[in-house]
Amino acid sequence: MKNNDKAATRRQYLTFLLSNEEYAVDVLSVKEIIEYGDVTKVPGTPFHVRGVINLRGSVVPVVDLAVKLGREESPLSRRSCIVIVETGAQGERVVTGVVADAVNQVIEFSPDDIEAPPAFGTGVRLHYLDGIAKMGGAFVLVLNMDSVLSDEAHTAALPRLADLAEPAPVETPA
């Protein structure tokens, strides 16, 4: 492969911290990064769903990605933020906010830089990962946000969150 071809296949990834581990997501799935603000708790949602936010008039669920990945709930700090991502869930595009302890940088990886995830040791379900990349002397887990945010436990919460926007009609006895 020519150098021009390798440069053309490089993709950009946003890196961020969760529970002192570095993760990356394809920057094309990231819509924006906002300061962690008022999150409204919604009863009956899965434990990893912190609640919802109002994003320019739209109800957006906020997921604690650390909890979703089997870690402890992320303590909030001044560097905590919400990464707004768009993913495919059940054939539809879904906007979700994910809590990050801190956003680090945008970095480029070529397909050769990303290796298949090991079958052990990551602590993350393998179908949540696109792979593992080396960044300097450390490894970065490259998440497949479509897989992470489209499983049953997460999507089961979405219809209930959508119900917030439009109340169900009240039936009256005949």
Side-chain angles (χ1 to χ4, degrees):
M1 185 181 278
K2 296 179 186 175
N3 282 344
N4 301 8
D5 294 338
K6 280 189 178 182
T9 61
R10 294 180 70 80
R11 295 179 76 173
Q12 292 185 324
Y13 293 84
L14 175 71
T15 64
F16 55 91
L17 288 177
L18 290 175
S19 303
N20 295 320
E21 292 182 19
E22 191 139 21
Y23 293 85
V25 295
D26 191 324
V27 78
L28 294 177
S29 69
V30 176
K31 295 299 172 198
E32 62 185 292
I33 301 164
I34 61 174
E35 184 178 346
Y36 191 94
D38 292 332
V39 176
T40 303
K41 292 194 180 297
V42 179
T45 56
F47 186 66
H48 64 271
V49 177
R50 281 209 174 180
V52 295
I53 58 170
N54 179 347
L55 185 64
R56 291 182 293 286
S58 296
V59 176
V60 176
V62 176
V63 172
D64 189 325
L65 200 52
V67 173
K68 175 75 175 167
L69 298 175
R71 309 288 192 264
E72 294 291 320
E73 184 174 323
S74 299
L76 297 177
S77 72
R78 63 180 190 80
R79 293 189 65 202
S80 297
C81 59
I82 299 173
V83 180
I84 305 296
V85 296
E86 184 176 40
T87 59
Q90 300 173 343
E92 295 182 27
R93 300 308 292 168
V94 177
V95 175
T96 306
V98 294
V99 177
D101 296 341
V103 170
N104 288 340
Q105 64 183 325
V106 173
I107 191 166
E108 285 189 354
F109 293 125
S110 72
D112 294 340
D113 295 332
I114 300 173
E115 297 181 20
F120 61 91
T122 63
V124 176
R125 293 181 181 160
L126 293 181
H127 70 278
Y128 287 171
L129 297 176
D130 276 340
I132 189 165
K134 191 168 186 178
M135 191 172 77
F139 288 107
V140 177
L141 297 174
V142 180
L143 293 171
N144 180 321
M145 292 306 286
D146 285 346
S147 293
V148 172
L149 296 177
S150 68
D151 69 3
E152 277 183 40
H154 177 69
T155 55
L158 294 178
R160 283 181 269 155
L161 296 174
D163 290 343
L164 292 175
E166 199 172 301
V170 178
E171 291 185 28
T172 54

